[in-house]
Amino acid sequence: MVKHQPLQVYEKQVFVSFVTGIYGCRWKRYQRSQEDSSRWECTWFIILCSSFFLLLFWAYFWLVAQNDFNEFNWSVYNRSGEWRDETIPILASTTVGFSYITFLMILALFHISLGQQMNLYWVHKIGVLATLITTISGVVTVDDIWGDEWDILLVSLQSTAPFLHIGALATVTAISWLVAGYVVRRERSNFHVMVLLIYIVILLALYLAPLTFTCPCIMDRHSLRPRPDIIGRRGAPMLAPENTMVSFNRALQHGASSLEADVTISVDGVPFLMRDRTLRRTTDVSKVFPARQHDDASFFNWTEIRSLNAGQWFLESDPYWTVETLTARDRSRIGNQTVCSLVEMLRLAARANSSALLDIRKPPPEHPRYRSWFMDTLWAVQKAGISQKRVTWTPDTDRGRVRGLQQTANEKLSVEEIRQRGITSLTLHYSKASHKDIQEYLANNVSVTVYPVNDPWLLSVLWCSGVPSVSSDAPQVLQKVPYPIWLMSQNAYNFIWITSDLVSLAVVIGIFCFQKWRMSGMQNYNPEQIMLSAVTRQSSRDVNIMKEKLIFSGALLAEMHQEAGYK
C-alpha cells in the first residue's frame, strides 16, 4: 500500500482572500500572484487615486458650501424657472461615490502592503470610470452655474487648515510603511529613488505648511472682540417664508438685532419686499394672474400684489425641510401670509428697537416710478416712524438727497474711496472680506457687515476677525453659538505643530529602520532554516513564499521518484 503525502501545504489566508476577492474577484489561491503588477493595472491604480482625490475635494467643497445652499438653489431657479432643492441628489451621489472609491482605495493599499498583484475587476473599472466622469461633470456644471462659490474653499481653510494639516500628516506618516517596504525590499533603481524623493518632498512640505496658514482664531483670547450682531436676512427664511412678517418676527425671536430686506417699488409707488424679479416663486401669481406670472414684480400695483398669497408656497415646497417642525397654528399663520410692505417691516423694527438694512432694487427705465423711487422709499421710512439713523440702505447713490439716513456700499472699496464717498460702512460678501481687509477697515472706523453667514464655523472665523455684524438666513442656528468653535493661542498651536512634526518624523524613521532590518533578516534565511521553522512558528509573507516553493518542488521530486520506481 502506497502512502501518499500532500503535494503542498498552505496556511489559511482569509484576509488576503477577502482583499483580492473583492478588489479583483480572485478568491482562490491559484488566481493570486505576488509578481509585479502590470503597467495596465498600475494605470488603473493611478485612475483610482485620481478619482479618490477629486472626490475628496468635491466632498469637502459641498461640506463647507452648506453655508450657501440657499444661494445655490436660487441660482438654479433663475436658470430653470423651477424651485427645487438640488443639493439633495448631489449630496446623495457624492456620499455613495466617495464611499465606494474610498473602499476600493483601501483595498488597493492592502494589495501593496501584502505584496499582492493588483488586478481590478472589470465591474469596478466601470464603476470607477462612471464615478470619475460624473464628478468631473459636476465640477464643470458648478463652475458654470455657481463659479463664485469656489472662493469658499480658501475662506474655509481659515477654520479647518490646522485640523486638515494634522489629518494629512497622519495619513502621509502611515503611508511611509508602504513606501519603505517598496524602496527597501528591492534592488535600487532610478524609479525607486524617485518615489523616495517625492515622498520626502511631500513630507517636508507638510512639516512646513503651517507657516502659510492664516487662521484668525489663532489668537490671544483676551483680544477677542464682542460677538457680532446678527442681522436677519429676509427674516428667518428657514423657519418662515422670506420677506414676510412671520419671518421677521421669527428672526427677532431668535436674537437678531437688525432686519434686512429686499425692496421693490410697485407701479403705483408703494415699496414692498420681494427678492426675485418676478412673483412666481414666492406667491400664487400663477393662479391669480396666470398671464402675467413672468412679468416684472414692479409692474404690478399694490392692490394686485396685496391680493396674492405669500406663504402657501413655503408649506408646499418645504425648501429647508423645516415644515414638519411647525405647529398647526404656525402652519395656519404662514399659509395666510401676504406680501409685506416696507412700512410694515419698518414699524416692526421700530417696535423691537432694532435697525433695518434695505437692499433697494431700482425700477427699470420704463417704469413710471423710475425717477421717484427714492422719494417713495423715503416716504415709507418717514411713515413707519422709525429713526432715520437706524435705517441703512443700498445702493450708495443720491448722497446729496440723503439726509439723516445711513448708506452702505456693497462693493469692496479702498479706505480712500470710502472717505471720498462719505460713507462709514460696507456690506460685503464673505469671500470679499479677508482678515487683512477687515483689520484695515476697523482701524479706519469703517463698520463692516458680512453676508451670508449661516454656519457656525464661518461665524467663528469672522468673530475672531473682529467683524461687528453679520447677515444671516439662519439666526436660529447662530443663536446657539455663544463662543467661537475653537480658539487657540499662538504658543499653544506652535507646540501642537512642532510636536506633531517631531512625532511624525520619529515614526517615519522608525518604520524605515524596521523595514530595513526586516528585509535584511529575510535575506539571511536559508532553505534548511525555513523548513525547520515552518511548523513551529508563523512566518512572514516572504518566508511563506519560499516555503511553498520548496515544499512544492520537493513534492514534485518525490512524485517523479515514485513514478520511476513503478516503471
Side-chain angles (χ1 to χ4, degrees), residues 211-406:
L211 294 174
T212 64
F213 293 169
T214 302
C215 301
C217 289
I218 298 179
M219 61 180 296
D220 186 355
R221 62 181 63 250
H222 300 294
S223 302
L224 184 66
R225 290 175 177 266
R227 186 175 186 269
D229 293 330
I230 307 300
I231 301 174
R233 193 167 180 244
R234 307 180 186 96
M238 294 184 180
L239 303 177
E242 63 185 51
N243 284 325
T244 61
M245 291 298 291
V246 175
S247 184
F248 292 122
N249 273 299
R250 286 293 182 88
L252 293 173
Q253 292 170 6
H254 287 90
S257 59
S258 302
L259 302 175
E260 180 182 353
D262 307 285
V263 181
T264 302
I265 312 297
S266 69
V267 74
D268 51 350
V270 178
F272 66 98
L273 309 185
M274 183 61 54
R275 179 188 187 185
D276 301 353
R277 188 188 66 84
T278 69
L279 300 167
R280 289 182 65 241
R281 181 174 68 90
T282 57
T283 70
D284 59 348
V285 66
S286 59
K287 297 179 181 179
V288 181
F289 304 106
R292 301 174 61 190
Q293 59 179 307
H294 295 286
D295 291 355
D296 193 303
S298 63
F299 284 95
F300 288 77
N301 62 47
W302 177 239
T303 302
E304 295 170 334
I305 294 170
R306 196 65 167 180
S307 67
L308 300 175
N309 184 290
Q312 196 62 37
W313 73 274
F314 183 86
L315 299 176
E316 293 174 354
S317 63
D318 195 7
Y320 301 101
W321 305 84
T322 55
V323 171
E324 292 184 356
T325 63
L326 301 175
T327 64
R329 181 180 179 182
D330 290 336
R331 295 186 187 186
S332 176
R333 186 181 179 189
I334 288 174
N336 293 321
Q337 286 297 295
T338 58
V339 177
C340 181
S341 69
L342 176 60
V343 172
E344 290 175 314
M345 190 274 280
L346 291 178
R347 285 175 176 171
L348 175 63
R351 290 195 300 269
N353 196 29
S354 62
S355 303
L357 176 61
L358 309 180
D359 186 4
I360 304 174
R361 183 168 70 92
K362 289 184 180 181
E366 62 273 17
H367 195 278
R369 316 299 295 189
Y370 175 68
R371 298 185 181 278
S372 59
W373 69 270
F374 176 84
M375 295 305 300
D376 293 333
T377 307
L378 186 60
W379 170 83
V381 172
Q382 294 173 346
K383 185 178 179 180
I386 188 173
S387 172
Q388 294 185 359
K389 293 182 179 180
R390 286 159 50 192
V391 179
T392 304
W393 66 3
T394 59
D396 176 34
T397 56
D398 300 284
R399 286 292 305 167
R401 304 167 66 184
V402 177
R403 295 179 182 178
L405 293 175
Q406 306 294 321

Side-chain angles (χ1 to χ4, degrees), residues 424-564:
T424 57
S425 65
L426 294 176
T427 302
L428 300 177
H429 190 271
Y430 63 79
S431 63
K432 307 299 180 184
S434 67
H435 178 68
K436 180 180 178 180
D437 293 332
I438 292 171
Q439 298 303 313
E440 183 180 3
Y441 288 140
L442 295 178
N444 288 274
N445 296 320
V446 178
S447 179
V448 180
T449 298
V450 180
Y451 71 95
V453 181
N454 302 320
D455 275 5
W457 70 264
L458 185 54
L459 174 65
S460 300
V461 169
L462 296 172
W463 187 347
C464 295
S465 297
V467 171
S469 59
V470 297
S471 181
S472 174
D473 297 324
Q476 75 280 3
V477 175
L478 302 189
Q479 184 186 29
K480 301 175 183 178
V481 186
Y483 201 72
I485 293 178
W486 66 274
L487 192 65
M488 189 183 307
S489 67
Q490 186 67 57
N491 291 334
Y493 179 67
N494 288 341
F495 175 78
I496 295 174
W497 164 32
I498 296 173
T499 302
S500 301
D501 286 357
L502 292 177
V503 170
S504 171
L505 182 61
V507 171
V508 170
I509 293 175
I511 288 175
F512 270 82
C513 292
F514 176 77
Q515 289 281 36
K516 181 68 175 177
W517 170 82
R518 177 171 171 265
M519 293 311 301
S520 63
M522 293 297 176
Q523 294 170 1
N524 293 331
Y525 269 103
N526 57 58
E528 289 78 10
Q529 289 175 326
I530 296 174
M531 293 300 294
L532 289 173
S533 62
V535 181
T536 58
R537 68 182 182 88
Q538 183 179 359
S539 305
S540 63
R541 178 183 58 82
D542 299 271
V543 177
N544 286 332
I545 297 170
M546 298 175 69
K547 287 194 298 184
E548 290 175 2
K549 291 181 177 179
L550 287 169
I551 295 171
F552 187 69
S553 60
L556 287 178
L557 287 172
E559 195 171 318
M560 291 173 63
H561 285 309
Q562 287 180 359
E563 291 180 358

Side-chain angles (χ1 to χ4, degrees), residues 142-161:
V142 167
D143 187 65
D144 179 46
I145 297 176
W146 207 27
D148 293 339
E149 188 64 14
W150 298 121
D151 294 335
I152 199 172
L153 294 171
L154 294 178
V155 175
S156 69
L157 290 178
Q158 297 180 37
S159 176
T160 61

